[in-house]
Amino acid sequence: MEKLAILRYSKAIFALAVEKNAVEEYNNAAKGILAVIENDKDVLGIINHPGIALEQKVNALNTAFSGKVPDDFIGLFALLLRRGRKDEILGVLRHFDKLYMDYARKTIAKLYSSTELPHEKVAEITVMLSQKLGKTVEIERVVDDTLIAGFRVEVDGYVYDASVKHQVDTLKKKLLGSYA
């Protein structure tokens, strides 16, 4: 479960994005900031360094992101740093993405298959999931050779398993259950 503070701060910045009718812009900014912080160890090092004064950290983030992202994000970072919540910056940005996905009625489905599925089959699965969930579905493909054949989809906490491995496991349980 995510910390209550992460939920509150991410909901607050998301509410600002909605209020300003700039949800896409804020989402792109959140993804960009998250990528920079996760991939540039220097930025994370500055944020976490105990020898760097608070105002220097705020100024460094301001310099790094000013003019590139909405000022609300810079203000949010300054607020989190001043309140001693530097460890929650990444969580706020990640949860912002979840709020965006819900708002935009989008979801990501993981599609596991033993081999790379043809584009037509992936498109068919995407349409079926979109209709069933009432959301736009983005597919993340994963090759899993333990499935033998068929596919398995994980989306929004649900699993649809049409793999041969699953069918063999189900048959095995039924057979063993009848002899117990």
Side-chain angles (χ1 to χ4, degrees), residues 171-180:
L171 182 60
K172 181 179 172 183
K173 285 178 187 175
K174 284 181 182 177
L175 289 172
L176 290 175
S178 65
Y179 291 109

Side-chain angles (χ1 to χ4, degrees), residues 60-75:
L61 288 173
N62 192 12
T63 300
F65 296 114
S66 184
K68 299 173 187 152
V69 301
D71 290 340
D72 294 327
F73 278 107
I74 296 167

Side-chain angles (χ1 to χ4, degrees), residues 13-62:
I13 191 99
F14 191 81
L16 282 172
V18 171
E19 181 181 309
K20 293 181 177 185
N21 199 22
V23 174
E24 290 292 330
E25 177 190 352
Y26 275 59
N27 183 57
N28 291 335
K31 283 183 178 182
I33 295 165
L34 187 60
V36 167
I37 293 174
E38 286 180 332
N39 297 322
D40 188 343
K41 299 303 176 197
D42 291 337
V43 175
L44 206 52
I46 290 170
I47 293 170
N48 290 321
H49 197 287
I52 298 176
L54 175 66
E55 287 308 313
Q56 287 178 309
K57 291 178 184 183
V58 171
N59 289 338
L61 288 173
N62 192 12

